[in-house]
Amino acid sequence: YSTFLQRAYDQIFHDVCLEGLPVVFAVDRGGIVGEDGPTHHGLFDLSYLRCIPNMVVMAPYDENELRRMLALAVSHGGPIAIRYPRGSAVGVPLEKDIRAMALGKAKVMAEGGDVLILALGGSVGAALEARAELAGEGISAAVVNCRFVKPLDAELIADRVAGTPRVVTVEENVLQGGFGSAVD
């Protein structure tokens, strides 16, 4: 669980990341966990993992991204964390070919010019739903599945931010030190 991993912070930092060891952290229950209760909400992991040297932090939107992130994690050669929420997945058909995801690369999910929504992990679905609601109000929203908190796809984000008057970040994490502050 994300909340249990924070108890091992010193070990993550000293025993894995400073040494650059090829350890994969599968961070379950990242975000709001519902009936598990507030003591189990994983709302700090993006913040405490992002600041650790040599750590890669990523969060998949769906099952195929999770599989591709696992392939990347196994081949990466350094510390890497995959954060995923509690509960069921999106339910997409599984790809037969599992290839490693490119490190630090975001994906544009939808185009739009009035607002840019930068989302991460399970929040991508909520961002796409918000886009549909905004369209009903005559507002055109772009949605980017950022996938990585560290490293960020700074080039894609900067290009999109430059051409959009409003930017919103969406994540299930505390504000300070999380995905939104990485984009800031």
Side-chain angles (χ1 to χ4, degrees), residues 113-131:
D114 296 324
V115 63
L116 171 61
I117 304 173
L118 301 172
L120 182 73
S123 298
V124 173
L128 292 168
E129 290 174 19
R131 179 185 190 275

Side-chain angles (χ1 to χ4, degrees), residues 41-61:
H41 291 323
L43 300 175
F44 297 93
D45 52 22
L46 297 179
S47 300
Y48 70 72
L49 292 173
R50 185 177 147 241
C51 68
I52 298 177
N54 301 317
M55 177 66 84
V56 171
V57 182
M58 53 191 172
Y61 163 58

Side-chain angles (χ1 to χ4, degrees), residues 63-65 67-68 71 93-101:
E63 301 90 327
N64 287 318
E65 284 194 353
R67 295 168 73 194
R68 294 181 67 212
L94 296 179
E95 299 169 346
K96 292 184 194 261
D97 178 32
I98 303 170
R99 60 199 181 289
M101 180 172 286

